[in-house]
Amino acid sequence: MGTESKRQQRFAGVIQQDLAELLQREGKSWAPGAFITVTKVRVTPDLAIARVYLSFLNTKTAKEDLANIQSKTTEIRYKLGTRIKNQARIVPQLEFFLDDTNEYVEHMDKLFEEISKEPRQPD
C-alpha cells in the first residue's frame, strides 16, 4: 500500500474525529463499560472505504464489543453521514478492525522486564 494523499489524510481525519465523538456519545450502548478510542482511519484513494481501527480500554471482551459495533455498521454509517454531509459527497463504507497495539506494547514490556531480571552472562 502506497502513501496516502493529502486529500485521503484530511478526509480520514474528519472521519476519525466525527466517529470518535459519535462513539463517545453512543458507544456505551454498543460496548457497555468499555472506553472506545478511534486510533487510526485509513481511506482508499477513491474515498469509498474507510478502515477504522478501534482500541477498547476497561474491558475484557474487546472482540465481542468489536463484533457489536460491526453489527451496527449501517446505523453508524448513517449517523456519520448526517455529520459529514457538508464535507463529503459520499459517505464511505466503514470497516472496523481491532487495534491491538496497546496489547502488543504491554506484551513487549513484560518480555523486556523478564530479560532485564535474568542474570547477565560475562562476556
Side-chain angles (χ1 to χ4, degrees):
M1 187 165 144
T3 59
E4 291 183 328
S5 68
K6 291 281 187 208
R7 182 173 176 233
Q8 284 173 275
Q9 291 173 356
R10 207 170 30 247
F11 191 55
V14 167
I15 291 172
Q16 183 172 358
Q17 184 174 7
D18 286 332
L19 267 180
E21 290 173 13
L22 183 67
L23 288 171
Q24 224 173 17
R25 253 193 287 114
E26 304 193 24
K28 290 170 185 56
S29 62
W30 301 324
F35 181 74
I36 307 168
T37 307
V38 180
T39 55
K40 191 187 320 175
V41 176
R42 295 258 188 239
V43 182
T44 56
D46 62 356
L47 307 181
I49 300 172
R51 293 181 178 94
V52 182
Y53 294 87
L54 302 175
S55 175
F56 295 87
L57 302 174
N58 298 337
T59 184
K60 298 285 186 220
T61 59
K63 287 186 173 68
E64 290 85 4
D65 293 342
L66 178 66
N68 285 343
I69 288 176
Q70 287 171 333
S71 71
K72 305 280 190 213
T73 299
T74 308
E75 178 185 345
I76 295 169
R77 183 173 181 237
Y78 173 78
K79 290 179 179 184
L80 177 67
T82 61
R83 297 179 73 123
I84 67 169
K85 65 181 177 229
N86 298 328
Q87 301 166 10
R89 275 186 292 162
I90 62 164
V91 180
Q93 291 290 329
L94 300 175
E95 296 177 356
F96 293 101
F97 298 96
L98 185 62
D99 184 0
D100 56 359
T101 306
N102 289 340
E103 293 163 19
Y104 178 75
V105 168
E106 288 175 13
H107 176 69
M108 295 306 289
D109 284 344
K110 287 179 185 173
L111 288 177
F112 286 128
E113 281 179 27
E114 288 175 20
I115 291 170
S116 66
K117 288 178 184 174
E118 290 179 8
R120 296 184 74 66
Q121 303 258 333
D123 291 335

